[in-house]
Amino acid sequence: MHVLITGGSGLVGRFIADRLHRDGHQLTALGRQPLDWLQAGYQSWSLSETQFVVPQADVLIHCALSHVPGKYRDGEGDDPHGFIERNAEGTVRLLERSKAAGISHFVFLSSRAVYSEVVNWAVLGETAETEPNTLYGQVKLVCEQALQSLCDDRFKGTSLRATGVYGKAPGTQRHKWSDLFAAFERGESIGPRLGTEVYGEDLADGLARILDNGSQRKRPFEVYNVSDLLLDRQDLIKLYAEHKGVKGAALPPRAEGPVGVMEPGKLKALGWTPGGKERLQAFIGSLR
């Protein structure tokens, strides 16, 4: 297939682009600069751009997000209007022009942030209530709804509601916990946190399975949860300390919760088997 990807230089986009490339798909990046770590076509594009034409292709995977560096929630910084304009309005333009260009499948990288604030240990299936309490979650949900409204027999839509993504993305040396681990080794106090995580390659594998099973889908629009681990920061730091031989440093306290645990049952029905704790341990063990 010919696949277009936005945000291919971002953390998640790199994992996805690498998997698509290894699977033998023709890949074209839409963005502000070409991908510099694998061979792919390129067309200049940004979320702020209003005059553009989507090239002919089979699938478009939309990972791009305009945000304050290093932040997704609170990614609007001091410019909430611009955040909405670029990410919501920019995505709607991309959706409309993708459909007009004959794209048959549009995949949107959404977030667990679309779910309601969780006040108990809820299990979040794809039909769980969506009342996001952050601007980031609200924008993601608006984009999902816009995609769903455009879907029909010729224009299929998929929303990937992804949890936190860890791992060292292809072509990079840093990862989401680089600063956290460095702060721990410096002896700084680390606050508690409890969240859900998925390894980047596992997320990309889930997407590959969705693309491979496209002919079997029953509805024009589908939502898939993408999540693997419930991870307390204390356990994460302990794993790292054991790997690096750091002794005597204070671990963060355990987080009290609660947190919602996403259930990726629809992906598992496609044969998706994320790596769980073993993959997390292997990743930590690979760090130098």
Side-chain angles (χ1 to χ4, degrees):
M1 289 187 291
H2 183 191
V3 182
L4 311 177
I5 184 169
T6 74
S9 294
L11 171 67
V12 179
R14 285 174 176 265
F15 281 112
I16 291 173
D18 184 70
R19 174 59 184 263
L20 295 173
H21 180 72
R22 287 188 287 110
D23 284 352
H25 296 297
Q26 178 186 351
L27 187 63
T28 299
L30 307 183
R32 288 172 291 186
Q33 57 188 13
L35 303 183
D36 59 1
W37 47 280
L38 58 73
Q39 290 186 341
Y42 169 69
Q43 177 173 306
S44 177
W45 170 85
S46 76
L47 281 162
S48 301
E49 192 169 347
T50 58
Q51 302 298 320
F52 65 93
V53 176
V54 173
Q56 290 186 344
D58 302 296
V59 179
L60 192 151
I61 300 171
H62 182 35
C63 301
L65 179 73
S66 176
H67 60 99
V68 173
K71 290 188 176 181
Y72 296 98
R73 299 183 190 227
D74 300 322
E76 67 274 15
D78 59 0
D79 185 20
H81 176 74
F83 184 82
I84 295 169
E85 184 175 39
R86 291 186 297 274
N87 292 302
E89 296 179 18
T91 294
V92 170
R93 279 194 298 270
L94 183 64
L95 284 167
E96 292 172 343
R97 296 187 191 182
S98 295
K99 184 171 183 177
I103 299 293
S104 60
H105 188 180
F106 191 105
V107 180
F108 175 63
L109 181 65
S110 188
S111 167
R112 69 161 289 148
V114 303
Y115 291 116
S116 305
E117 184 175 3
V118 177
V119 294
N120 53 47
W121 294 93
V123 176
L124 303 173
E126 287 89 352
T127 59
E129 186 176 8
T130 52
E131 288 188 6
N133 67 338
T134 64
L135 185 57
Y136 170 65
Q138 292 164 4
V139 164
K140 287 291 190 181
L141 184 58
V142 164
C143 293
E144 282 193 18
Q145 293 167 341
L147 173 57
Q148 184 175 12
S149 72
L150 289 171
C151 288
D152 54 31
D153 290 343
R154 295 186 178 182
F155 186 65
K156 304 296 194 301
T158 296
S159 180
L160 295 180
R161 290 179 180 167
T163 187
V165 178
Y166 77 92
K168 194 176 291 184
T172 66
Q173 294 301 315
R174 292 176 56 80
H175 56 89
K176 68 179 294 182
W177 297 318
S178 293
D179 291 338
L180 176 69
F181 292 161
F184 170 70
E185 291 204 64
R186 290 194 299 268
E188 297 179 14
S189 177
I190 305 296
R193 186 181 185 279
L194 179 66
T196 50
E197 300 287 343
V198 67
Y199 189 59
E201 287 186 9
D202 286 335
L203 184 149
D205 180 67
L207 173 55
R209 290 175 183 276
I210 291 169
L211 296 182
D212 289 343
N213 284 271
S215 62
Q216 305 299 317
R217 63 188 297 153
K218 298 178 181 179
R219 290 176 292 272
F221 177 75
E222 294 278 7
V223 173
Y224 290 88
N225 280 344
V226 191
S227 185
D228 184 18
L229 290 169
L230 178 63
L231 182 62
D232 191 290
R233 183 174 282 174
Q234 184 186 95
D235 297 326
L236 173 65
I237 295 294
K238 184 178 179 181
L239 271 177
Y240 181 75
E242 291 172 350
H243 166 61
K244 298 290 285 188
V246 178
K247 298 180 180 180
L251 298 175
R254 295 198 77 79
E256 295 181 0
V259 68
V261 179
M262 298 168 68
E263 172 51 51
K266 289 174 65 176
L267 266 185
K268 289 179 179 177
L270 299 180
W272 188 64
T273 54
K277 292 182 179 179
E278 293 78 10
R279 173 149 267 181
L280 174 66
Q281 291 168 342
F283 170 69
I284 298 297
S286 72
L287 299 178
R288 298 291 180 262

